[in-house]
Amino acid sequence: MTIRAATDCAEATTALGAALAELARPCDLIVLCGDLGAGKTTLTQGVGRGLGIDAQITSPTFTLVRSYTGRLDLFHLDVYRITQLEEVAELGLNELLDDDAVTLIEWGDQISPVLPQDYLEISIELGESDDDRTFVFSVVGPTWTARMRALRAALSPWLVLESDD
């Protein structure tokens, strides 16, 4: 099952992320996919806001991992610069996923073979205008599958199309 949602400005993308965060639970893994400039960090800023994080969330492209404290802590990873899957072990991903935090990985599709088989994947597609974005939410495993109805409800202001896959 996939859910499609759309936004037309950065503020709406942030709000969508905040709505998503309301469903977050300890040890959740969220994988973001999309081209450069698609809005992965903007969405993450919204998730952070929804988790009650006051700190400025910035892209961890050069640091690879940033952590933030909120109602649930957030580990924000960017694996764009990882060239070999073996490098993921150096990030301590397994340890991060065992923590009671939410882990969000930008460019996570690049490391999908080493991810656990339980996460929410969000593919972000660029739209016709500069600020238009389409978000395709796909679940892998049981954790988010059990929350699909709640996810659909949380995303209802941005919902555009649903399909069974």
Side-chain angles (χ1 to χ4, degrees):
M1 162 100 44
T2 61
I3 297 175
R4 295 177 67 86
T7 62
D8 60 3
C9 64
E11 293 79 15
T13 296
T14 302
L16 185 147
L20 173 63
E22 293 300 317
L23 301 175
R25 297 180 184 163
C27 302
D28 273 348
L29 174 59
I30 301 172
V31 173
L32 300 181
C33 314
D35 292 335
L36 285 169
K40 295 180 291 294
T41 300
T42 301
L43 182 66
T44 303
Q45 290 167 344
V47 170
R49 184 174 78 190
L51 293 176
I53 295 169
D54 294 326
Q56 171 83 21
I57 294 179
T58 59
S59 178
T61 300
F62 296 102
T63 58
L64 299 181
V65 180
R66 292 187 191 270
S67 63
Y68 301 94
T69 302
R71 148 180 92 72
L72 288 173
D73 291 348
L74 174 67
F75 293 118
H76 182 200
L77 288 73
D78 184 325
V79 295
Y80 181 74
R81 297 188 177 283
I82 289 184
T83 57
Q84 296 182 357
L85 291 176
E86 293 79 24
E87 294 176 70
V88 175
E90 295 171 22
L91 291 174
L93 181 59
N94 289 333
E95 292 79 12
L96 296 177
L97 293 172
D98 285 339
D99 201 324
D100 284 338
V102 174
T103 301
L104 194 147
I105 306 175
E106 293 190 27
W107 301 98
D109 52 324
Q110 293 184 168
I111 63 166
S112 61
V114 297
L115 292 176
Q117 290 302 299
D118 195 9
Y119 58 88
L120 176 66
E121 180 178 283
I122 306 170
S123 296
I124 307 172
E125 302 167 357
L126 301 170
E128 289 188 25
S129 81
D130 288 346
D131 293 327
D132 290 345
R133 300 292 184 271
T134 299
F135 300 85
V136 181
F137 294 80
S138 305
V139 296
V140 174
T143 300
W144 282 97
T145 299
R147 287 182 263 173
M148 283 300 283
R149 180 175 292 150
L151 181 61
R152 190 176 305 109
L155 300 176
S156 64
W158 306 279
L159 205 58
V160 292
L161 177 69
E162 295 184 54
S163 65
D164 289 324
D165 291 334

